[in-house]
């Protein structure tokens, strides 16, 4: 079903895989390929490397990156994107940051969608204020505004923005349009700000991994099943982390465009950087149906392409899958789950005990009824599940059935109004409604906990993107817990037809109609505001009382005293745990109000601890005495001042000692987490810490590039320490002398000192940290204190 190579491979003629090694050149020549003479016969490591470097240029990913790179150096890329897209819990902060940095006009097409806060159900006028801010900015700066309920962010991008060979940047982690020949990336808001200010997206040339597909899916297997199988195979191994997944092989031709899209959007959950697929007549048909034939071209790897790894996906061997709580990689076949139900559920409960920290009772074994798993809710929605083909196949399975009159419910959210309109025209909407399902408008809520929240203790099966804790909307801090298992729309429909008893769609033996899609753009033509790139400086930006500017942020000081205010030892910490999703969505435009939710699900004491430490830094900035504002540091600072005289400054007013001999000292907080940042691209996971006085994260590893980038763009130091014994604990103070010089000098190692705890001083103990690779611009951003300061200073 799924095989991962241990090394690199060559793809010859788009069909044949040849493992790297000393015999590779000879094998490729025997196939009639013209191997450059300088590559030799592939008999030595040096000759093999030459062959690899030449063949790397044969990937689709290389060609697209090369076409968008402005650095002149393909090893260190400076990318300019063709288009950008954001939704209504990110675009306010992005535009506010860009405005503070000198924005005059959107330099490339920028689409502002409204699909996360579209319910406007909480916060009074807050959400609609954000929408009107977006509309006014689209007018003033020359953008596109998609009103609420018209389309989820990624479906609109597929329908209107994608094009073969393009690159699109989005402020949502599931920005993936590779199935349409478009390399797309989801990043935190500051990376979009850079593009708005005509700067570049700077990365090293990423590795590329082939996803080599063979066979054809059996009836009942959908794109989510294939995606979950891939995620289960690669996530824990980090096989594609920060790499590009390139989908190739004869199996691709067996998949419709909708099917490919459904797999592609889930590649985010592998922690890859981006994705790209070979294009063909199925892709061409998609563009023709959507009235944009000019955006299609045939694209495939060159006759010889080298990949840094390969995932061989045998499509015909994949069976309906289920990702049990609380991660998309916790996968089983549904058959396996049903056959070993008690063991599977016990394993989930054990994982939950770690993830939830014993804060709330979690029980899934009570879902076993008569030896079968009875779920409480089904949802087919969003950028992953809300496609036309998924919904039509679900309707075929449910046709003539009823979901029953007990607790089980089924909600269906088409991903865009054009899809909704077509379902109405072809009768599927009526068929679904007749089964007892509720069909709703385009909305991302079920993906992040803002729609269809189950009852306490319930289990929901969803064709959405994630099943992290609280992604269904429950609040552990209030004693509430429900959970989500991810499944394909087809098996959700089969489960619904069986009144909630878990059922794979391969058991359905009825008719599949394979209905054709007809795209009608009239609703967009009449409802979407499109400036066609024309800015109107006379248009006033419309604000609301919850739309606040970013607070002032200080530059990096020469020396730094940090207090550890949270310590997280989960194997992976998600961005949902760093800043919750659903209940915070109304406050994303208000940095101070939003920061009150930081780590609220994981460590409720964090905000209070961080704010207490922050009083010392505010005292420094106000010319007051830090130790008087935050007395806890008096003992620690005084005891260590003999070894580190600069700490004496904390005992004096800023104008007499906080800057000593031209040196400045800063006081702030930091958190430790083993592997933080899996999941969403939302920048607030980092910015909330900075707003509360955070200066750094300390980790063994960062789960995603985008979270590390968010830390850097908010002026926070992304420290790394080796796995093993932790040289400090929650509540400890860490002194980092000469931190500014270390960043300026590109020091590979940084010496820090544990000098005490909240309970008093201790003998200073040294340990070493690293910052990892940083570009020159990233170093300047950290030195300046944040991206806003960086642009003001430059």
């Amino acid at each position: 079903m799924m095989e991962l190579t241990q090394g690199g491979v060559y793809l010859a003629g788009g069909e044949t895989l040849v493992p790297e090694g000393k015999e590779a050149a000879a094998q490729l020549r025997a196939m009639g390929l013209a191997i450059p003479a300088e590559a030799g016969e592939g008999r030595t490591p040096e000759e093999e490397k030459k062959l690899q470097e030449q063949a790397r240029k044969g990937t689709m990913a290389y060609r697209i990156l090369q076409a968008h790179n402005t650095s002149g150096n393909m090893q260190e890329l400076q990318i300019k994107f063709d288009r950008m897209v954001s939704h209504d819990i990110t675009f306010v902060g992005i535009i506010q940051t860009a405005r503070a940095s000198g924005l005059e006009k959107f330099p490339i097409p920028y689409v502002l969608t409204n699909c996360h806060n579209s319910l406007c159900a909480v916060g009074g006028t807050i959400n609609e204020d954000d929408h009107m801010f977006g509309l006014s900015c689209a007018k003033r700066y020359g953008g596109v505004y998609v009103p609420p309920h018209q389309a989820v962010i990624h479906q609109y991008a597929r329908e209107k923005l994608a094009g073969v060979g393009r690159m699109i940047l989005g402020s949502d982690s599931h920005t993936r349009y590779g199935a349409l020949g478009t390399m797309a990336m989801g990043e935190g808001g500051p990376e979009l700000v850079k593009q708005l200010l005509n700067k570049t997206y700077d990365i090293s040339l990423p590795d590329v991994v082939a996803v080599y597909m063979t066979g054809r899916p059996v009836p009942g297997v959908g794109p989510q099943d294939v995606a979950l199988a891939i995620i289960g195979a690669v996530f824990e191994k980090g096989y594609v982390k920060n790499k590009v997944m390139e989908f190739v092989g004869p199996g691709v031709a067996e998949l419709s465009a909708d099917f490919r899209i459904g797999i592609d959007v889930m590649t985010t959950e592998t922690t890859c950087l981006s994705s790209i697929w070979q294009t063909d007549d199925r892709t061409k048909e998609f563009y023709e149906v959507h009235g944009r034939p000019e955006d299609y071209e045939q694209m495939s790897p060159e006759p010889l392409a080298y990949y840094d790894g390969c995932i061989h996906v045998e499509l015909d061997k994949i069976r309906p899958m289920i990702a049990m709580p609380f991660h998309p990689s916790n996968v089983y076949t549904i058959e396996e789950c049903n056959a070993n139900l008690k063991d599977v559920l016990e394993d989930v409960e054990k994982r939950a005990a770690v993830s939830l920290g014993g804060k709330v009772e979690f029980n899934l074994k009570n879902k076993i009824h008569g030896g079968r798993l009875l779920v409480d809710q089904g949802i087919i929605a969003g950028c992953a599940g809300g496609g036309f083909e998924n919904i039509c196949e679900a309707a075929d399975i449910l046709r003539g059935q009823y979901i029953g009159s007990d607790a089980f419910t089924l909600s269906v959210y088409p991903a865009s109004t054009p899809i909704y309109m077509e379902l109405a025209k072809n009768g599927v909407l009526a068929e679904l409604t007749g089964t007892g399902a509720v069909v709703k408008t385009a909305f991302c809520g079920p993906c992040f906990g803002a729609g269809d929240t189950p009852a306490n203790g319930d289990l929901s099966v969803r064709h959405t993107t994630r099943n992290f804790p609280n992604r269904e909307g429950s609040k552990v801090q209030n004693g509430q817990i429900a959970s989500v298992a991810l499944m394909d729309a087809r098996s959700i429909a089969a489960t619904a037809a069986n009144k909630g008893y878990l059922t794979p769609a391969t058991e359905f033996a009825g008719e599949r109609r394979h209905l054709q899609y007809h795209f009608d753009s009239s609703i967009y033509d009449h409802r979407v505001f499109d400036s066609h790139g024309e800015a109107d400086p006379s248009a006033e930006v419309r604000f609301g009382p919850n739309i606040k500017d970013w607070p002032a942020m200080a530059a990096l000081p020469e020396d730094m005293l940090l207090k550890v205010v949270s310590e997280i030892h989960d194997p992976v910490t998600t961005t949902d745990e760093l800043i919750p999703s659903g209940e915070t969505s109304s406050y994303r435009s208000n940095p101070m109000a939003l920061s009150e939710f930081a780590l609220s699900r994981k460590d409720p004491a964090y905000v209070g601890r961080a704010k207490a430490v922050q009083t010392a830094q505010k005292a420094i900035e106000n010319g007051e005495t830090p130790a008087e504002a935050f007395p806890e540091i008096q003992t620690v600072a005084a005891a260590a001042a003999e070894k580190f005289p600069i700490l004496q400054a904390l005992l004096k007013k800023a104008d007499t000692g906080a800057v000593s001999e031209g040196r400045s000292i800063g006081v702030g907080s930091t958190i430790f987490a083993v592997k933080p940042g899996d999941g969403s691209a939302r920048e607030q996971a980092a910015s909330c810490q900075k707003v509360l006085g955070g200066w750094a994260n300390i980790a063994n590893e960062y789960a995603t590039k985008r979270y590390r980038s968010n830390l850097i763009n908010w002026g926070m130091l992304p420290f790394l320490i080796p796995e093993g014994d932790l040289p400090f604990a929650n509540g400890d103070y860490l002194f980092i002398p000469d931190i500014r010089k270390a960043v300026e000098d590109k020091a590979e190692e940084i010496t820090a000192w544990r000098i005490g705890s909240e309970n008093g001083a201790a003998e200073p103990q040294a340990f070493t940290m690293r910052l990892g690779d940083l570009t020159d611009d990233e170093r300047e951003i950290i030195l300046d204190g944040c991206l806003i300061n960086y642009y003001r200073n430059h």
Side-chain angles (χ1 to χ4, degrees), residues 96-97 99-100 543 546-553 589-592 691 788 792:
Q96 283 288 73
T97 303
R99 279 166 51 83
F543 292 90
N546 189 58
I547 299 174
K548 303 294 185 183
D549 292 328
W550 293 102
M553 299 180 189
S589 305
N590 187 333
M592 298 306 298
V691 165
I788 297 173
R792 285 175 177 164

Side-chain angles (χ1 to χ4, degrees), residues 273-300:
L273 177 70
S274 188
S275 62
I276 194 69
W277 293 57
Q278 62 189 44
T279 64
D280 55 21
D281 287 347
R282 299 285 188 101
T283 325
K284 182 179 181 181
E285 180 186 23
F286 178 93
Y287 283 109
E288 290 174 344
V289 166
H290 287 83
R292 298 189 290 123
E294 69 280 3
D295 288 331
Y296 171 77
E297 63 181 67
Q298 196 277 332
M299 183 174 65
S300 60

